[in-house]
Amino acid sequence: MDLTEPVVRTASGLVRGVRAAGQPGISVFRGIPFARPPVGDLRFAAPRPATPWDGTREAAVFGPAPPQSAYSLTPAPAPAPGTDPDDWLTVNVFSPDPGAAGLPVMVWIYGGAYRAGASSLPGYDGTPLARHGVVLVTFNHRVGVEGYAYLPGVPANRALLDQVAALRWVRENIAAFGGDPARVTVFGESAGAGAIAALLVMPDAAGLFRRAIAQSVPGTFFSPALAADVTAAIAAQAGLPATAEAFATAEPARLTAAADAVRPGDHLGRWGPVALTPTPFSPVVDGEVLPAAPWRAVAEGAARTVDLIAGHTRDEYRLFTEVYGIRGRVTAEQASQALQVLAPGDRGEAAYRAAYPDADPEMLFELVHSDWLFRMPSLHLAQAHAAAGGRTFLYEVRYPASVKREGEVGGGLGACHAIDVPLVFGVYQAAGLMLFGPEPPASAIAVGDQMREQWTAFAAGGDPGWPLYAPGRRATRIYDDPADVTSYPEEASLHIWDQHRFGALDLAAEATR
């Protein structure tokens, strides 16, 4: 057996990876630049190709995380000693055989409320997926102010442009790692799924991937007016004009702290439903980088040739009620406000109360947040894609978290937001959200094994192993113990939201008068 460290030639130069510990045959390459550091004259600019290097670059450690919020649920690891602290835009490759040819490729786009995230998080270890015969790629992209602040004179959605640059790097280089550039599947969760929804309709991303898996798509996309108002609020906190020139002179940590100090809830009269979310960032429908909100463009056929899996968890918002310290404490007034602001149409609150007559205030609060923020945007993306003639698959995760509060009886966190990430990656005990406790149940491992098998089968050939979604049947894979395929199970919410059309969120009407 050849135990030498693997060396691969990329378009920028040679890189030396490492053999994955305890994973025979899998080679890992970390921290490879796919673009130049976005600092100095390149601050708030579109990404530029990486500078070539001479000799062999060591690719043993992850690149540093981009500047990000202190409020992340899973804080990014500290940069490895010796790494360039500005080298935010790097890619990592987990290959079952760099000497192979034509292996399917999966590219992970992390979540983090558009304000945090890093490919170096232990929960994104790509070796369990690579064991299924795919080349697994993860990468860093700008988030928060660096990636999404809407500033005059510079490109909008720099985070999305970073993702396009990473996908171009994959197209140009992945064959050297054993992958097939014509069989690329992007997959991501939460903000990563929202980014994928955007990539589906972005002209710059056309042709860079064949398939997509969108796990819990957020429904928040901003109009330029709303995005500019958010940026003005951040600028006020930082004591700066809301200009690219002023922001470029400020340390990233200063801008991140200013963004963290902005509380969306203080802007209910201007930002509308966004004021009830945990983040002031989302992709901006600017008409250039992102020409339209994903649902409309997908319905018009923008992504018809891309195979799509879309889905969500059953109890999406319960994680946030726990994190915000309100689980078990939601009042009738809080529930009523959420229903009035988030539920669709003039009779949205009444529709929820009629559809869920036995729900207490906390359940109504959770349901309308889950539906508005993740469940219905994911469903509507699948519906739009299928209606346009695309090959579409729908799923729902119902398998519950194992962790509960001491003495708690009942469902605990349930099938909460982000529970699909450890299931898909097969990493159940990474730092941060340990939803399955120190010893995950055998049934959880079985559900995760099935998800990985079906995700990688989809990447390899476009068939995850359950029927296509169609309006008449609405076939939905249910990930639970046992697994099942049924008609879409959240029928009551489906009908409440049937006439709603997700699009770009704008400033509230009273703010524009």
Side-chain angles (χ1 to χ4, degrees), residues 110-470:
Y110 52 67
Y114 299 114
R115 69 193 308 177
S119 60
S120 54
L121 289 171
Y124 301 153
D125 177 15
T127 51
L129 281 159
R131 285 203 304 268
H132 285 261
V134 302
V135 178
L136 193 285
V137 178
T138 66
F139 65 92
N140 286 346
H141 63 270
R142 284 172 281 185
V143 294
V145 173
E146 305 295 326
Y148 286 106
Y150 189 70
L151 294 160
V154 297
N157 300 305
R158 296 168 299 279
L160 301 179
L161 293 175
D162 290 348
Q163 293 162 28
V164 169
L167 288 169
R168 286 179 177 151
W169 184 95
V170 169
R171 181 181 62 188
E172 294 167 4
N173 293 282
I174 207 63
F177 297 86
D180 182 352
R183 278 202 298 171
V184 173
T185 298
V186 291
F187 70 124
E189 184 266 347
S190 196
I196 286 171
L199 291 170
L200 287 171
V201 304
M202 285 173 56
D204 282 351
L208 293 178
F209 54 93
R210 177 69 185 84
R211 301 183 177 96
I213 306 173
Q215 304 171 209
S216 300
V217 180
T220 53
F221 284 72
F222 290 177
S223 73
L226 174 58
D229 209 66
V230 170
T231 301
I234 295 170
Q237 287 286 347
L240 294 168
T243 65
E245 293 78 10
F247 274 41
T249 65
E251 288 295 321
R254 177 181 175 185
L255 298 179
T256 299
D260 281 353
V262 172
R263 299 188 305 177
D266 293 341
H267 301 266
L268 184 60
R270 292 185 66 82
W271 297 356
V274 174
L276 299 187
T277 72
T279 177
F281 299 109
S282 282
V284 183
V285 182
D286 66 311
E288 295 182 15
V289 174
L290 182 57
W295 300 271
R296 187 187 77 192
V298 167
E300 293 171 353
R304 185 183 295 116
T305 60
V306 176
D307 299 339
L308 175 68
I309 294 176
H312 56 75
T313 72
R314 180 187 58 195
D315 309 308
E316 288 277 6
Y317 204 73
R318 196 169 304 170
L319 175 68
F320 299 98
T321 61
E322 174 70 17
V323 169
Y324 302 151
I326 59 174
R327 187 159 75 93
R329 300 166 54 193
V330 175
T331 66
E333 290 75 19
Q334 288 173 311
S336 185
Q337 181 195 45
L339 289 164
Q340 291 169 19
V341 174
L342 302 179
D346 295 335
R347 294 186 50 77
E349 180 176 6
Y352 266 91
R353 295 189 185 279
Y356 298 98
D358 299 325
D360 62 14
E362 181 147 335
M363 181 55 67
L364 289 169
F365 181 90
E366 180 185 306
L367 280 166
V368 73
H369 275 92
S370 294
D371 284 343
W372 176 77
L373 193 51
F374 297 114
R375 298 202 310 181
M376 294 303 106
S378 302
L379 172 66
H380 284 205
L381 186 70
Q383 290 175 330
H385 189 256
R391 297 183 68 254
T392 313
F393 301 88
L394 184 67
Y395 75 89
E396 179 177 273
V397 177
R398 292 198 147 209
Y399 188 87
S402 306
V403 294
K404 295 183 180 181
R405 296 173 177 171
E406 185 176 351
E408 183 173 41
V409 177
L413 288 175
C416 64
H417 187 69
I419 197 169
D420 49 324
V421 176
L423 292 172
V424 166
F425 275 87
V427 182
Y428 300 95
Q429 298 167 308
L433 292 173
M434 289 185 60
L435 296 173
F436 297 102
E439 291 292 336
S443 54
I445 294 173
V447 172
D449 289 347
Q450 183 184 46
M451 291 190 79
R452 273 191 308 289
E453 180 180 336
Q454 296 189 326
W455 262 222
T456 54
F458 177 73
D463 183 1
W466 71 89
L468 288 162
Y469 178 90

Side-chain angles (χ1 to χ4, degrees), residues 39-83:
V39 297
D41 292 342
L42 298 184
R43 187 92 179 272
F44 301 110
R48 306 285 178 82
T51 303
W53 55 85
D54 296 325
T56 301
R57 182 185 177 104
E58 299 299 328
V61 298
F62 289 108
Q68 56 193 277
S69 171
Y71 295 150
S72 173
L73 298 179
T74 50
T83 55

